[in-house]
Amino acid sequence: MFLSYYYNEIRCKVNRTAKNYRNVFCFSPGCAILSGAIFSGKDLSNLKSIGRVILSAIFLVLTGLMIAFAKAAPAAVFAFYPALSRKMLAAISSVSGLLPIALWEILAVLLALWFFYTLICVFTKHHSLLRWLSGVLLAACAGVFAFVGLWGLNHFAPSVGASLDLDMREYSREELVAATSYYAAQVRQYAGSVERDADGLTVYPAFSQLAAQAADGYDALAAQYDAFDAVQGPVKPLASWRLFSKTGTTGIFVCFTAEACVNPDTYTAWIPYTMCHELAHKQAVAAEDEANFCAYLACMASDSNDFRYSGAFGAYIYCHNALSKVDKQAAAEIWATLPDGVVADIRAANAHYAQYEGTIQDAAQKVNDTYLKAFSEESGVQSYGEAADLLIAWYLKQAAA
C-alpha cells in the first residue's frame, strides 16, 4: 500500500512534467522545432535570414583577407597560386569540355529562371521577402568568394612581362615607331598566306576548325616558359552571340566552368587572336592588356598561318593606335606600307563593329570598366590599349637577341 501510494505520486509528477514539456516543445508542422511560447515559424524564418546575413559577411571578410594577403605578400601568394589556379581550371574543364556548347550559358539560364521563380513565390505563396533577399545575398557573396579563390586573385599577380623578363618602362617615341614598323612587317609577311575573297577580305576555315587549333600556340609556349601550361578544353562559340554583339563583347572567359568562349560574330581576321586571348585567361592571366599580349605570343607560336596573321594583325593595330596618339605622321607613313588586303580587313572590321555602337554597348562598357577597376586595373577598359607596352618590350627583347 505504501509503495503503491508513492508509485502513483511519481507517475502523476511525470505526467505533469510531460504535459509541461508539451507546452514548450512542439512537433507540429506549424512550429518546426519550438512552439509559439518560444519561437514561432516566423521567428525561425527571421533567425535563418539573420544566419544567412552573418554567413554572407563571413564570405566577404574571407574574400577581403585573401585580397589583402595577396597585396601584402605577393611573392608568397603568387609563388603557388597561378599554378594552383590553372590546375583547378583544368580539372573543371575536363568536365565542362565534354559538352560542345557552353555549359555556363545553360547554368545562367537555369539560375535566372530559379531567381524569378523564387521571387514570384514570395508574392504568390506569401514566402518571406527578407528570407529571399538574404538567400540572394548569401549566393552573391559565396559566388564572389569562389570567384576570387578560383581565379580572380590573378588580377593582383605580378605582370606576365616580369615572368618573361621583359624590360617594362616608359618608352621613347623612337622605340614605339620601331615596334610599330616591326609588327607592320609581320602583318605584311603573313597577309599573303591567308585566303581572301573577291573584295580582298580574309576568309578563314570554320569556327570549329580554328577552335581545334587555338591551343596549339600555348602548347608550344608551355615548352619554353614556366608561365604557361598546355591548355585543356576547347574554345566554344557563344550561343547568345547576338546579345554579346550588342554589348560589343567578342569573347568571355567564365572561371566557374573554365570555359573560354568567343563570339562567332567577331570580325574574321580577329577570331584566332580572340580565341587565344580568352585562352590566356585560362592560363591564369587575368589582366586584359596581358591577355592581349599572350594572345599575340600564342598566335605567333602556332604552326597555322591563319593564327600568325591574326596575331600580327592585332599587334600592329595596338601599336598603331598608340603611335597615332603621339606621332600621327609616323603612324601614317607605316600605314602606307600595308598591303591592300590588310587595309581592307581593318576598314571592314571598323565598319562591322560600328553597327553595334549605341546605348547598350556604352552601358556594357561601363559595367566592364567598373569590374576591371575593382580588381586593380586602374585604366579600366582602356587597359586594352596598354598591350602596346608589352609588345614594345617584346620587340626590344627580340631586337637585342
Side-chain angles (χ1 to χ4, degrees):
M1 184 72 176
F2 178 78
L3 292 175
S4 176
Y5 171 78
Y6 277 99
Y7 171 76
N8 290 332
E9 282 294 311
I10 293 172
R11 186 175 63 179
C12 289
K13 289 181 180 180
V14 170
N15 289 337
R16 285 196 299 271
T17 302
K19 183 177 180 181
N20 290 336
Y21 273 113
R22 284 195 297 271
N23 290 333
V24 176
F25 292 96
C26 176
F27 300 97
S28 66
C31 300
I33 298 176
L34 302 179
S35 75
I38 299 181
F39 290 110
S40 67
K42 183 177 180 180
D43 292 333
L44 188 60
S45 178
N46 290 338
L47 281 177
K48 289 182 177 180
S49 299
I50 294 172
R52 289 175 177 178
V53 172
I54 293 173
L55 191 54
S56 300
I58 292 173
F59 275 124
L60 287 180
V61 170
L62 291 175
T63 302
L65 288 175
M66 279 195 293
I67 294 174
F69 188 61
K71 289 182 175 181
V77 173
F78 296 107
F80 70 90
Y81 179 77
L84 175 63
S85 180
R86 288 194 294 267
K87 289 184 184 300
M88 290 190 292
L89 293 174
I92 297 172
S93 182
S94 65
V95 178
S96 62
L98 298 175
L99 292 176
I101 59 176
L103 174 61
W104 78 265
E105 288 188 280
I106 299 174
L107 296 177
V109 171
L110 293 176
L111 182 62
L113 291 175
W114 179 252
F115 176 89
F116 288 111
Y117 169 75
T118 54
L119 179 60
I120 292 171
C121 286
V122 168
F123 299 100
T124 59
K125 297 184 179 181
H126 306 290
H127 291 176
S128 170
L129 178 61
L130 179 61
R131 185 174 178 180
W132 182 84
L133 290 173
S134 65
V136 172
L137 177 64
L138 177 58
C141 293
V144 172
F145 173 78
F147 170 79
V148 173
L150 178 61
W151 182 81
L153 212 60
N154 288 302
H155 277 287
F156 307 98
S159 168
V160 70
S163 301
L164 299 177
D165 196 28
L166 300 181
D167 181 20
M168 301 303 298
R169 54 179 173 80
E170 291 188 11
Y171 302 104
S172 66
R173 185 192 67 83
E174 291 74 19
E175 289 172 324
L176 176 55
V177 170
T180 306
S181 297
Y182 172 77
Y183 294 112
Q186 283 192 335
V187 81
R188 288 196 301 271
Q189 177 183 352
Y190 293 107
S193 63
V194 298
E195 185 179 345
R196 296 186 179 276
D197 62 15
D199 296 323
L201 301 178
T202 298
V203 177
Y204 278 152
F207 185 98
S208 58
Q209 186 174 337
L210 291 173
Q213 299 174 326
D216 293 348
Y218 284 105
D219 292 343
L221 291 175
Q224 295 180 273
Y225 304 104
D226 294 335
F228 301 101
D229 283 346
V231 174
Q232 293 187 14
V235 176
K236 299 181 179 182
L238 286 166
S240 52
W241 62 266
R242 289 179 178 82
L243 172 62
F244 282 93
S245 290
K246 290 184 179 297
T247 63
T249 304
T250 57
I252 185 172
F253 173 72
V254 179
C255 67
F256 297 112
T257 57
E259 290 176 302
C261 301
V262 170
N263 185 342
D265 189 42
T266 299
Y267 180 71
T268 305
W270 280 106
I271 288 179
Y273 185 92
T274 306
M275 287 180 173
C276 290
H277 173 101
E278 299 308 328
L279 286 177
H281 290 318
K282 203 169 184 177
Q283 291 283 323
V285 177
E288 292 300 331
D289 58 318
E290 296 183 14
N292 280 328
F293 173 63
C294 290
Y296 164 77
L297 294 181
C299 284
M300 302 313 290
S302 173
D303 292 331
S304 168
N305 284 335
D306 291 336
F307 276 81
R308 289 177 177 176
Y309 172 68
S310 186
F313 182 84
Y316 167 74
I317 294 297
Y318 285 117
C319 288
H320 169 82
N321 290 343
L323 180 58
S324 296
K325 296 176 182 178
V326 298
D327 192 334
K328 292 185 178 180
Q329 179 62 32
E333 290 175 358
I334 298 173
W335 174 278
T337 69
L338 298 178
D340 292 340
V342 176
V343 174
D345 276 333
I346 294 173
R347 289 174 175 168
N350 290 340
H352 176 76
Y353 293 120
Q355 65 180 311
Y356 296 117
E357 292 178 354
T359 305
I360 295 177
Q361 187 172 130
D362 291 342
Q365 289 292 307
K366 288 181 180 179
V367 172
N368 194 28
D369 184 71
T370 302
Y371 158 73
L372 293 174
K373 289 181 177 179
F375 282 93
S376 292
E377 292 192 42
E378 296 181 359
S379 299
V381 292
Q382 294 300 316
S383 67
Y384 285 95
E386 292 177 4
D389 289 339
L390 288 161
L391 290 166
I392 296 168
W394 180 257
Y395 155 72
L396 294 174
K397 184 176 181 178
Q398 302 308 302

